[in-house]
Every structure is written in structure tokens, then in C-alpha cells.
Amino acid sequence: MKYLFFLAVALGIFPGTFIKVTAQTSINLESVAGKHISKTSLHFIEGIEITPEKISDNLSANNVNANNEVENTMVPLADDIASDHNIEQCSATQFKYATMMNREVETLTDTALYNFIDEWWAIRYRYGGTDKYGIDCSAFAGKVLESVYGISLPRTAAEQYKLSERISKNNLVEGDLVFFNTRGGISHEGVYLGNNYFVHSSVNGGVTISSLTDNYYSRTFISGGRICK
């Protein structure tokens, strides 16, 4: 009879008993969520118990605040930390050209290349020119490859084209040459930067960056050229 009585209490046969057991369960579970969790089993009625090991294990991965509320602890991933660190190390010049070419700043790793471009930016175009008083496209391409990559090139675009290995538009990489037929034959060139962008000395804008997807350059593009570095 003793066991039948407790079973009846657990099932809520006697009025008010089920509410009492439920309330007691809630109170004890709240105490489990506190900072000091007892490893002792919680006894509600004879033969029925709850062991809080699993609850304790789950809470150990979180913080419990002063109001006994569980707070998630967000741990930054190593890749995220490394990425933030790389961005912090980037220069204003890298940010400037990354924005211009719609690229992630940490992908502009060749700082010598972009510092050189920045030094020559907007220098006017002058046919036959080779200095900062004015420079043409082949002289500028030659200066980029010599200053950044240590490669000496012939003076004219046609000679540079003959010396280089043909590269399709889809296989271009940073530092490759790009050649155009703007007024017959190999008449213009630039240095590829990535994401379809290239730097060159333009007749209208001087040293600038343009895109191979622009209608004019898409229409006049001949080929890429790669010089063994």
C-alpha cells in the first residue's frame, strides 16, 4: 500500500499533489542552473530521482550570470582572428586600390606593385616619354616589370609582345602583360592586376587602372603575354 500511495501522488490522483511535485521539480532544476551545482542526485519521491550530470556538463560550456541565466560564450575562430590581423596590417594604399578594383584588401599582397602604381598614378601620357614628365604605355609597362619583378623588357609594345608567352584572358595572373590593337597591330599594352583590371598609361587619363570588361578594351584586346620571371 505504501508504494501504491506514492504512485498515486506521482500520477496526481490526489488533488493538488501533481502541482506540488511539478513545482518542486521546477525549484530543484532552478537550483541546478546556479553557479554551484551539486553532484548529489535529487530525490523527489521514493524510487524516482534526477541526476544532474548531463545538465552540469551542458552548462560547463556556457557562462551563468548573476541572475542564474545561461549566456553563450562565443569564441572567435582562428581563421577569423588571422583574417582580422591581416587586414590590420594592410596599408592605406592597399585599401585604396582594393576599393577601386572591388577586391578584398588582404588579397593585394604585392605591396611593391601597388606602391609603384601609386607613385606613378595620373602621370600624363606622352608618346615616346619615359619619365614622370610624361610616359607612354610600353615604357610604363617596362618600368613596372623592371621595378617590381626585376625583368628588363625591350622598349616597344610590339617587341614585348614577341618576347612574351601567349596567355588567354581567362588564364591571366597578376604581373602578366595585356596587349591591344587600338590603331593597327600591337599598339597599346598594360600590366594585369587581377579581377579583369590592368594598369596602363592611357592616352586620355595618363597612368590609370581600367577593366578588360570595358567595351573599348574588350573589343580591342588581342592577348595576354607572360614573361618568365
Side-chain angles (χ1 to χ4, degrees):
M1 291 298 293
K2 177 181 177 183
Y3 292 102
L4 289 176
F5 171 79
F6 283 116
L7 181 60
V9 171
L11 295 175
I13 294 175
F14 294 101
T17 56
F18 182 74
I19 295 173
K20 182 177 180 180
V21 171
T22 303
Q24 182 63 38
T25 302
S26 177
I27 292 170
N28 280 280
L29 287 178
E30 286 181 7
S31 68
V32 171
K35 292 183 179 179
H36 303 290
I37 298 173
S38 172
K39 291 294 183 178
T40 305
S41 298
L42 306 177
H43 295 267
F44 297 111
I45 56 178
E46 186 176 36
I48 300 175
E49 64 183 37
I50 293 177
T51 305
E53 272 76 5
K54 289 186 177 179
I55 298 175
S56 175
D57 291 342
N58 289 336
L59 291 177
S60 65
N62 300 282
N63 290 331
V64 181
N65 63 22
N67 297 322
N68 289 335
E69 296 172 343
V70 177
E71 298 176 336
N72 289 328
T73 302
M74 301 301 293
V75 179
L77 298 176
D79 289 345
D80 293 336
I81 295 174
S83 178
D84 291 342
H85 179 71
N86 289 338
I87 291 174
E88 290 175 0
Q89 300 302 315
C90 293
S91 66
T93 300
Q94 287 170 283
F95 275 100
K96 180 169 96 174
Y97 290 104
T99 301
M100 190 181 301
M101 298 186 292
N102 193 29
R103 290 175 57 180
E104 295 181 354
V105 64
E106 59 269 29
T107 66
L108 274 61
T109 56
D110 194 339
T111 55
L113 172 61
Y114 290 97
N115 286 338
F116 182 86
I117 293 171
D118 203 52
E119 180 185 343
W120 283 79
W121 187 260
I123 296 296
R124 72 183 183 94
Y125 176 91
R126 182 167 65 90
Y127 182 74
T130 59
D131 54 34
K132 290 186 178 179
Y133 291 102
I135 190 166
D136 64 22
C137 63
S138 58
F140 178 73
K143 282 188 178 296
V144 172
L145 265 67
E146 183 176 14
S147 299
V148 178
Y149 303 109
I151 298 172
S152 296
L153 294 179
R155 174 64 181 85
T156 68
E159 291 173 323
Q160 293 175 22
Y161 179 78
K162 289 179 182 178
L163 183 65
S164 64
E165 173 191 352
R166 301 287 78 77
I167 301 294
S168 68
K169 189 181 293 187
N170 293 333
N171 293 320
L172 289 167
V173 298
E174 186 178 83
D176 284 341
L177 298 173
V178 285
F179 296 97
F180 304 89
N181 178 0
T182 57
R183 58 177 186 273
I186 308 298
S187 51
H188 190 63
E189 71 172 304
V191 179
Y192 189 71
L193 300 176
N195 200 28
N196 283 318
Y197 287 94
F198 66 101
V199 62
H200 62 135
S201 181
S202 165
V203 173
N204 295 324
V207 175
T208 188
I209 289 175
S210 302
S211 175
L212 293 175
T213 62
D214 291 346
N215 182 56
Y216 179 74
Y217 294 111
S218 177
R219 178 167 48 86
T220 58
F221 178 80
I222 295 177
S223 174
R226 183 169 298 164
I227 307 294
C228 295
K229 300 174 183 178

